[in-house]
Amino acid sequence: MLMTSRMPYLDATSVETDFDIAPDCIFLQGGVLTETGLIENAAQSCAAIVAQSYVHRNENDEVVGRAIGFISAIKKIEILDLPKVNERILTKGTLLSRYDDDNFSLCTMETATFRNGELIVACTFNFLIHAI
């Protein structure tokens, strides 16, 4: 399940993603995106910051490497509103801390999700990102 539609910005410490809430999204209930869907959107958005260090392009311009991420803790979350089907949300993530070992990274990230410029979700996560 992919919970981002586009990634207009990504660097070593931050990310921005858009998500168009389609009628077939598995996290819809009564025409609105559930809290679980908002958390998954934020998690997928943030995981890209660290996961990109496990993926690169080879000399043939083929993508090499993969990573998987797990939420190890939700340290703080505030959900102010639930967006509706056919709306677009924008999620911004920032890497707060990172510890790297040979095949995994432990990190803390902060996100903010907006609908039409209005903050609807703010959260802080701990993640385990692992090379696969």
Side-chain angles (χ1 to χ4, degrees), residues 2-7 9-10 14-19 38-51 89-94 109-113 125 127:
L2 185 60
M3 295 297 293
T4 62
S5 302
R6 284 168 299 288
M7 187 178 306
Y9 185 79
L10 175 65
S14 61
V15 66
E16 288 187 16
T17 65
D18 295 327
F19 181 56
L38 287 167
I39 291 168
E40 185 62 28
N41 165 262
Q44 287 186 20
S45 297
C46 276
I49 296 170
V50 174
I89 56 176
L90 165 72
T91 301
K92 298 179 180 185
T94 304
M109 299 188 202
E110 184 175 74
T111 68
T113 301
F125 295 105
F127 286 95

Side-chain angles (χ1 to χ4, degrees), residues 91-103:
T91 301
K92 298 179 180 185
T94 304
L95 178 65
L96 300 177
S97 67
R98 178 176 177 168
Y99 169 78
D100 293 320
D101 200 348
D102 289 338
N103 292 314

Side-chain angles (χ1 to χ4, degrees), residues 3-82:
M3 295 297 293
T4 62
S5 302
R6 284 168 299 288
M7 187 178 306
Y9 185 79
L10 175 65
D11 67 21
T13 60
S14 61
V15 66
E16 288 187 16
T17 65
D18 295 327
F19 181 56
D20 297 319
I21 305 166
D24 63 348
C25 177
I26 66 169
F27 292 112
L28 283 179
Q29 187 173 36
V32 299
L33 186 63
T34 63
E35 293 86 348
T36 305
L38 287 167
I39 291 168
E40 185 62 28
N41 165 262
Q44 287 186 20
S45 297
C46 276
I49 296 170
V50 174
Q52 69 179 323
S53 57
Y54 294 102
V55 179
H56 67 278
R57 292 193 178 271
N58 66 15
E59 62 277 354
N60 297 323
D61 202 34
E62 300 165 325
V63 175
V64 177
R66 294 183 356 178
I68 188 167
F70 302 94
I71 300 170
S72 60
I74 299 175
K75 297 175 81 170
K76 176 188 87 165
I77 189 159
E78 185 176 11
I79 297 177
L80 304 168
D81 201 5
L82 300 175

Side-chain angles (χ1 to χ4, degrees), residues 88-92 112-121:
R88 176 178 289 170
I89 56 176
L90 165 72
T91 301
K92 298 179 180 185
T113 301
F114 302 88
R115 179 190 55 211
N116 299 321
E118 174 189 357
L119 179 68
I120 59 170
V121 181

